[in-house]
Amino acid sequence: MKEKGRKVIATNRKARHNYTILDTYEAGIALVGTEVKSLRDGKASLVDAFATVDDGEVWLRGLHIPEYTQGSWTNHTPRRTRKLLLHKREIEHLVGKTREGNQTLVPLSMYFSDGKVKVELALAKGKQDYDKRQDIKRRTEEREVTRELGRRVKGMR
């Protein structure tokens, strides 16, 4: 029986803090059996993960999927390089964008979609420290405005 919907396995929370997201893609990922079983337990880490384009193929590097506990000699290595499955025109677009400037491919999240493991891949540009400070300041100001509006609606001020 196939499962329906979308079940999030792991998210890269620091990606939106460290990078400006320009475009996102959904990619499949080539895995072995014990990796899928370990992912079904909800174990994965996207912290140090990034993607590269080599010889017309997209590879996900630094993704940590721990070994499956009930696995035997067929177990996988936790930090192996995994192939991402994208359409050829998407790969050509990514090649052009990553070569032209200081843009990189960062995985944002990993999830099950209708029983298949998918990765949300972002074409991103690195943020400088002052950009990060401006974003934090903007979010704080927006939070204060909504708080003040809430107080006025409740009649506290």
Side-chain angles (χ1 to χ4, degrees):
M1 191 166 129
K2 272 198 161 184
E3 52 186 75
K4 298 287 183 190
R6 183 172 167 166
K7 179 188 169 202
V8 176
I9 302 165
T11 57
N12 190 351
R13 297 176 60 189
K14 293 291 264 181
R16 294 192 190 274
H17 178 73
N18 293 333
Y19 298 97
T20 302
I21 307 301
L22 305 173
D23 201 5
T24 59
Y25 299 90
E26 181 181 64
I29 183 168
L31 299 170
V32 295
T34 55
E35 289 175 326
V36 176
K37 289 180 179 185
S38 187
L39 289 175
R40 290 206 186 278
D41 290 341
K43 298 175 182 173
S45 176
L46 292 170
V47 174
D48 297 329
F50 63 98
T52 58
V53 182
D54 301 326
D55 299 327
E57 295 179 338
V58 183
W59 297 91
L60 187 61
R61 302 175 190 279
L63 170 67
H64 184 265
I65 300 175
E67 289 185 349
Y68 184 56
T69 53
Q70 280 83 33
S72 59
W73 59 273
T74 59
N75 242 337
H76 62 278
T77 52
R79 285 203 184 267
R80 75 178 186 89
T81 303
R82 294 163 178 96
K83 185 176 180 179
L84 293 180
L85 309 171
L86 288 159
H87 291 284
K88 188 172 185 174
R89 66 178 180 276
E90 290 176 330
I91 294 172
E92 290 169 357
H93 182 258
L94 291 175
V95 167
K97 290 292 186 177
T98 54
R99 286 219 177 112
E100 83 178 21
N102 54 350
Q103 296 175 0
T104 186
L105 295 171
V106 180
L108 297 178
S109 65
M110 180 182 264
Y111 53 90
F112 282 105
S113 177
D114 296 333
K116 294 178 175 63
V117 180
K118 303 286 183 176
V119 175
E120 185 179 14
L121 195 64
L123 185 64
K125 190 173 189 174
K127 284 185 185 177
Q128 300 295 327
D129 285 338
Y130 59 85
D131 291 332
K132 294 177 191 177
R133 285 192 296 270
Q134 286 175 349
D135 284 347
I136 292 170
K137 181 181 176 184
R138 181 182 44 80
R139 279 197 306 265
T140 305
E141 289 171 352
E142 288 173 359
R143 197 176 308 120
E144 288 173 358
V145 167
T146 55
R147 217 178 266 154
E148 185 63 32
L149 287 173
R151 287 186 185 129
R152 287 188 183 175
V153 169
K154 292 177 184 175
M156 296 175 85
R157 280 194 181 180

